[in-house]
Amino acid sequence: MSQSSRTGESGHDSGIALVEVSVVLVANQNDPSILNPDFLRYNGIVDKALKLAQPPMSTPMISQVVFEGDIAVRAEPNRFVFEQKGQPLSEDACMVPELAGRFVQTVSHVPYSAIGINAKSLRPPNDDSPYSVADALLDGGNWMSFRDVRPDVHLKAVYSYEGRRITLDVGGVGALRGDGALGHGLLFEANIHRDIAERDQEQRTKRASAILGAWKDDISDFNELVAKFHAMGISR
């Protein structure tokens, strides 16, 4: 399926909107203290014109830099996290996969062992009636097949295919309705996980860069999967 046809099935016309994307680089024995605004700017990981939204935080166990535009970069002993939020967040405005890719090229000596690309989409409340996760689970079952595989369901749907694993959570959430009142919407959260099995460090870095370079395909898969839930009539 082409990129354009997948995007067309994303469910945005139905009111479901992408609101957050994050990238997690899994690697042990990190040094969180390396993360600071000067490091990110000097190495060209972020644009020098990108301004801080709040003072950076740095401790032996966690460091975080938050930029304007709801962009945050966080370092922990076992992972680096790049996160961006929006209401909604368009794919064209999403910067964090590219930032993570530049980071991998700059900090190429780190033995990255896995990458998670995470996405959240929100279906706002209907002005007339709430949405129920029970409707999604009981009505139709269209979500029970994706990419010709059936998921393992443990209050979550887990789809494993083509070297990746998508774990999708669907839950109710309080959100503003069209009339400004607080109502009950649906939040779709996905973790798209890939292990990096290469032992050679150069090959490991190339693999990480390739995964990050294809992030739009992952978001398209997420959108298509969310659309399967919406197509069952949970928006009625």
Side-chain angles (χ1 to χ4, degrees):
M1 183 177 293
S2 69
Q3 173 76 25
S4 58
S5 61
R6 288 187 189 181
T7 303
E9 298 176 0
S10 67
H12 288 280
D13 291 342
S14 63
I16 299 175
L18 186 69
V19 295
E20 182 177 323
V21 171
S22 66
V23 175
V24 179
L25 307 177
V26 180
N28 291 323
Q29 301 178 339
N30 295 331
D31 179 7
S33 67
I34 70 168
L35 184 66
N36 59 69
D38 290 339
F39 173 83
L40 295 172
R41 290 168 174 156
Y42 177 80
N43 288 286
I45 297 170
V46 303
D47 192 292
K48 292 182 179 180
L50 197 59
K51 297 180 180 179
L52 291 174
Q54 61 188 55
M57 175 181 68
S58 180
T59 73
M61 295 302 295
I62 183 171
S63 294
Q64 179 171 276
V65 182
V66 180
F67 295 97
E68 291 182 347
D70 275 332
I71 298 171
V73 183
R74 186 167 67 255
E76 301 174 17
N78 62 346
R79 62 180 186 167
F80 296 100
V81 181
F82 300 78
E83 181 183 271
Q84 185 174 1
K85 299 178 182 179
Q87 294 291 339
L89 176 62
S90 71
E91 289 185 18
D92 290 340
C94 185
M95 300 171 57
V96 291
E98 184 177 351
L99 301 185
R102 295 174 188 167
F103 187 89
V104 165
Q105 291 298 316
T106 300
V107 192
S108 58
H109 64 280
V110 171
Y112 304 104
S113 59
I115 290 180
I117 295 179
N118 307 305
K120 292 183 182 181
S121 283
L122 176 66
R123 178 58 166 103
N126 187 290
D127 290 352
D128 300 319
S129 61
Y131 303 134
S132 168
V133 177
D135 290 338
L137 296 178
L138 298 176
D139 185 9
N142 190 37
W143 55 275
M144 287 294 291
S145 176
F146 183 69
R147 294 284 182 259
D148 298 322
V149 298
R150 292 176 65 83
D152 298 319
V153 180
H154 310 278
L155 299 179
K156 298 180 179 181
V158 182
Y159 305 84
S160 299
Y161 66 98
E162 298 176 358
R164 78 199 73 180
R165 183 178 70 250
I166 296 182
T167 302
L168 180 70
D169 285 283
V170 185
V173 64
L176 293 178
R177 304 188 317 188
D179 60 4
L182 184 64
H184 188 80
L186 283 178
L187 183 66
F188 300 85
E189 300 182 75
N191 168 254
I192 304 170
H193 177 93
R194 291 180 180 84
D195 290 316
I196 300 176
E198 286 78 2
R199 294 183 177 275
D200 178 77
Q201 185 59 31
E202 182 177 353
Q203 292 302 314
R204 194 194 306 263
T205 301
K206 286 183 178 180
R207 168 68 172 155
S209 296
I211 291 171
L212 294 169
W215 71 274
K216 286 190 175 182
D217 290 338
D218 286 341
I219 298 300
S220 291
D221 278 358
F222 168 64
N223 287 335
E224 186 177 349
L225 185 53
V226 168
K228 278 181 168 283
F229 280 81
H230 184 268
M232 296 182 309
I234 61 176
S235 62
R236 65 176 181 272

